[in-house]
Amino acid sequence: GVLMKKGLAITLACVMGVSLIGCSTPGKTSTKENDEKKEKVFRYSMLTDVTTLDPQKCNELLSSTIGYHIGEGLTRSIDGEVHSGIAESWDVSEDGLTYTFHLRDAKYSDGETIKAQDFEYAMKRLVDPETASTFAFIAKPLENADEVTAGTKQPNELGVKAVDDKTLECTLGFPAPYFLQILSMPQFYPTRQEIVEEYENEFAANGDKNVYSGPFCLKEWKQNDRIILEKNPEYWDKDAIHLDRVEILIVSDENTALAMFESGELDYVNVPTDAVANYADAEFYKSGAEDFIKINTGEEPMSNRNFRLALNYGLNRKEFIKLSTNDVYEAAQRFVLPEVGGVEKTFGEEYPYEAFPIEGDVDLAKEYLAKAMEEMQIGDPCEIEVELLTSDTERTKKEAEVIQALLQDALGITIHVNLVPRADRLSRENSGNYQMVVSGIQPDYPDPISFLESWETTSPYNHTNYSNPDYDALLQEAYQSGDAKHRMDTLAEAEKVFMEDGGLVPLQYRRNAKLVNKDVTGITNYFCGYDLNFMYGDVK
């Protein structure tokens, strides 16, 4: 484990929240005006509230971002690099299946010692079907994790054991080089059994119904209004933390948030894509989110590989990006985000790949379409009608209309756009009740498997009926491989198999443009695990 340095600032965790005990600052008797001069406060906003601050139930980026700051795992991933967290060091067996963690002397916000047993409890709670965490799948590398979640084995059979207060042993079911990365996520944060049992369903529902192992404590959570964090005086590395307080407001309109930044009420804001042209000083970063057209391969014409390839070659992605986001987003010509880790460098540097040309290839698309029509015994492209399902927001409506226009023009088929509320889209998508749907993915950790695992025949997240024995075999080979280079070669091959099958239509990688108060430093962004990292933020 590497010690964290002050200057580093970005992380990759899905973290969740806990309590405010011991978070007040004693001895503050000066006037309010003097207080404000001394206090370092960072303010930003979110479009929607977090769904939960229960670490094991954390299941989306906003919760993860807060979780990352109010808790700490055995490791802490910053900018995709693994640093020591509550574990000062660790040993890994030669076969990559046994990890032994040695805990540092660290305390929760209420002054109690953080023990190995709290990590064991947290991991068992995560996979226990009683907890019903929708993020239990993240524990997959731990021995018996999937079986416990499925109810075929008991939580006490999970591959985790506290040897003593300061030593935790994790046993894996297969070598997972990204295991140290996922331990930085909130689901794996230490959790105190007696607090969970005291509050039951109310656990972590507000600041005083949990304790905190991270740099900040949850002081206040006023639903759909604000979340207030305060510096944790018991955090083991508190000297590296400069902010006294973080105020996170729920502001559902992007333009309102922008106006609040302009008037000095916020220190950080993402600029709506329509307004980016007005801000020459905006700084861009890739959010990690990728959008694509998910295809239900269960019936014709979507079950026809040549038809799926006609869609992929027929789409001019360069034109799509220009028309739908003013070139703010980046065209996706492959499925796996190139920024995820490879063996030594990024996956994209080590395995460069353009599955489809950026401007499409209409002639080739028409060849694939002709083959498809022959196979399906269709005489004229205008006989082909398909539905494109998407959410009814302004942005997604615009995207769908651009896709519709470009593909109809290139292929001569008819596309019907069906706009529904986001919750309806998700429920139709998850039940396989669609032909094509504009969907997306946000990686949980910086490894290609976070993108590729969903399309295995047996994956609970494969809502597309996609099934390819070659793809499944490559993924299984990658899971079992103890050799990093062979594993990456195999994953790169799997991505090619999937793209050459037209498994989906990659659209775009999202980029955000941000504005930051010039007096605020040390706020960073990363493409997975959290939206922004203010752990090492500072105010002049």
Side-chain angles (χ1 to χ4, degrees):
V2 194
L3 283 177
M4 281 206 237
K5 298 181 189 66
K6 282 188 195 176
L8 291 164
I10 246 162
T11 114
L12 190 172
C14 207
V15 160
M16 294 304 351
V18 255
S19 149
L20 104 160
I21 306 166
C23 270
S24 60
T25 318
K28 277 206 157 176
T29 48
S30 56
T31 67
K32 185 166 187 285
E33 198 183 338
N34 286 341
D35 261 7
E36 281 177 2
K37 276 183 196 150
K38 279 188 293 192
E39 265 203 328
K40 294 185 172 185
V41 182
F42 172 62
R43 303 158 304 164
Y44 74 100
S45 70
M46 304 189 296
L47 291 170
T48 57
D49 202 351
V50 299
T51 49
T52 177
L53 289 176
D54 177 330
Q56 281 77 53
K57 291 181 180 176
C58 160
N59 66 353
E60 40 85 29
L61 195 64
L62 300 176
S63 315
S64 305
T65 300
I66 309 286
Y68 182 82
H69 291 87
I70 57 180
E72 179 153 288
L74 294 158
T75 61
R76 188 174 277 280
S77 178
I78 301 175
D79 271 334
E81 277 186 31
V82 173
H83 297 259
S84 58
I86 303 295
E88 203 156 21
S89 64
W90 47 84
D91 314 297
V92 187
S93 63
E94 215 155 296
D95 62 7
L97 295 177
T98 310
Y99 285 69
T100 310
F101 296 92
H102 308 286
L103 274 58
R104 67 174 77 248
D105 291 321
K107 291 176 179 168
Y108 291 102
S109 50
D110 66 347
E112 294 259 334
T113 301
I114 300 174
K115 296 177 176 169
Q117 289 84 348
D118 303 337
F119 284 98
E120 178 184 338
Y121 172 73
M123 293 182 205
K124 288 178 174 173
R125 180 174 183 256
L126 170 62
V127 297
D128 189 338
E130 289 282 296
T131 309
S133 169
T134 56
F135 230 72
F137 69 87
I138 200 69
K140 183 185 178 78
L142 286 169
E143 189 172 51
N144 297 330
D146 287 351
E147 291 81 354
V148 176
T149 306
T152 56
K153 288 196 169 165
Q154 293 305 305
N156 63 11
E157 295 176 82
L158 184 71
V160 59
K161 183 175 97 215
V163 180
D164 55 45
D165 286 2
K166 284 272 185 275
T167 317
L168 186 78
E169 192 176 273
C170 291
T171 310
L172 273 50
F174 56 89
Y178 55 91
F179 183 59
L180 292 169
Q181 290 278 9
I182 63 173
L183 291 176
S184 171
M185 299 171 68
Q187 293 83 1
F188 297 92
Y189 287 0
T191 303
R192 293 235 299 271
Q193 185 169 356
E194 83 275 8
I195 296 179
V196 173
E197 287 172 357
E198 178 183 354
Y199 293 112
E200 296 180 340
N201 290 339
E202 285 288 296
F203 170 65
N206 59 33
D208 51 11
K209 290 181 177 153
N210 201 352
V211 290
Y212 306 96
S213 52
F216 297 93
C217 305
L218 176 65
K219 177 75 178 168
E220 186 189 347
W221 177 15
K222 203 171 157 192
Q223 259 127 1
N224 297 311
D225 179 42
R226 68 192 57 211
I227 292 173
I228 308 289
L229 310 182
E230 284 189 355
K231 181 173 173 171
N232 179 359
E234 297 289 348
Y235 181 55
W236 68 270
D237 197 21
K238 65 176 181 291
D239 293 349
I241 310 302
H242 304 297
L243 294 173
D244 297 301
R245 197 167 77 243
V246 180
E247 298 176 358
I248 305 146
L249 303 180
I250 316 303
V251 181
S252 61
D253 183 84
E254 292 179 303
N255 292 302
T256 305
L258 185 58
M260 291 171 73
F261 177 85
E262 293 280 10
S263 67
E265 295 168 76
L266 295 175
D267 299 306
Y268 174 106
V269 73
N270 281 324
V271 185
T273 54
D274 289 346
V276 168
N278 309 331
Y279 293 92
D281 55 340
E283 197 185 324
F284 288 92
Y285 66 94
K286 235 171 171 171
S287 78
E290 175 189 349
D291 299 303
F292 48 82
I293 301 174
K294 196 186 263 194
I295 296 173
N296 185 346
T297 62
E299 54 189 52
E300 286 189 349
M302 299 303 166
S303 54
N304 187 294
R305 173 177 174 264
N306 287 319
F307 182 72
R308 299 194 300 264
L309 289 171
L311 294 173
N312 266 299
Y313 283 101
L315 184 65
N316 181 334
R317 290 170 175 80
K318 190 176 179 184
E319 195 65 8
F320 166 71
I321 293 293
K322 188 178 154 198
L323 294 171
S324 67
T325 67
N326 301 316
D327 288 325
V328 174
Y329 290 177
E330 189 181 313
Q333 293 170 264
R334 67 189 296 173
F335 177 53
V336 176
L337 185 77
E339 281 80 358
V340 300
V343 188
E344 300 288 335
K345 294 186 276 196
T346 67
F347 187 67
E349 286 170 301
E350 292 177 345
Y351 302 92
Y353 178 44
E354 288 187 359
F356 307 106
I358 193 161
E359 295 184 4
D361 182 334
V362 176
D363 294 338
L364 190 54
K366 285 181 169 159
E367 282 175 38
Y368 280 117
L369 182 62
K371 284 186 210 164
M373 285 164 54
E374 200 177 318
E375 287 160 356
M376 297 185 288
Q377 298 174 318
I378 292 171
D380 190 324
C382 70
E383 293 172 44
I384 300 176
E385 296 193 32
V386 289
E387 182 186 272
L388 178 63
L389 178 70
T390 192
S391 307
D392 60 1
T393 67
E394 273 308 303
R395 186 174 66 79
T396 47
K397 176 175 185 258
K398 191 172 179 183
E399 281 171 359
E401 286 169 355
V402 172
I403 293 166
Q404 176 188 42
L406 292 172
L407 285 177
Q408 288 187 157
D409 189 42
L411 302 173
I413 63 175
T414 302
I415 295 174
H416 300 286
V417 173
N418 185 6
L419 301 170
V420 299
R422 183 168 180 267
D424 294 358
R425 187 211 94 206
L426 288 169
S427 110
R428 281 190 55 176
E429 186 178 329
N430 294 341
S431 58
N433 178 20
Y434 66 93
Q435 279 186 297
M436 302 193 295
V437 58
V438 181
S439 186
I441 189 171
Q442 177 96 27
D444 299 308
Y445 45 90
D447 187 278
I449 203 82
S450 190
F451 283 84
L452 297 167
E453 65 186 356
S454 300
W455 314 107
E456 264 190 291
T457 304
T458 53
S459 163
Y461 301 93
N462 179 349
H463 306 301
T464 65
N465 291 300
Y466 180 78
S467 178
N468 181 327
D470 297 339
Y471 184 81
D472 292 350
L474 286 164
L475 251 59
Q476 285 311 314
E477 190 180 329
Y479 279 132
Q480 299 306 328
S481 174
D483 177 75
K485 174 88 171 73
H486 175 70
R487 176 179 179 272
M488 281 295 162
D489 289 348
T490 310
L491 293 174
E493 187 55 36
E495 181 189 19
K496 281 204 166 99
V497 167
F498 185 53
M499 288 287 92
E500 286 168 10
D501 231 359
L504 51 74
V505 181
L507 292 173
Q508 62 197 9
Y509 300 120
R510 293 193 206 171
R511 288 198 317 160
N512 289 335
K514 65 173 176 180
L515 299 170
V516 187
N517 176 341
K518 61 182 187 329
D519 291 337
V520 174
T521 54
I523 310 294
T524 59
N525 306 87
Y526 190 58
F527 65 82
C528 57
Y530 55 83
D531 189 32
L532 75 166
N533 182 352
F534 49 83
M535 179 169 170
Y536 298 115
D538 203 348
V539 181
K540 284 192 190 114

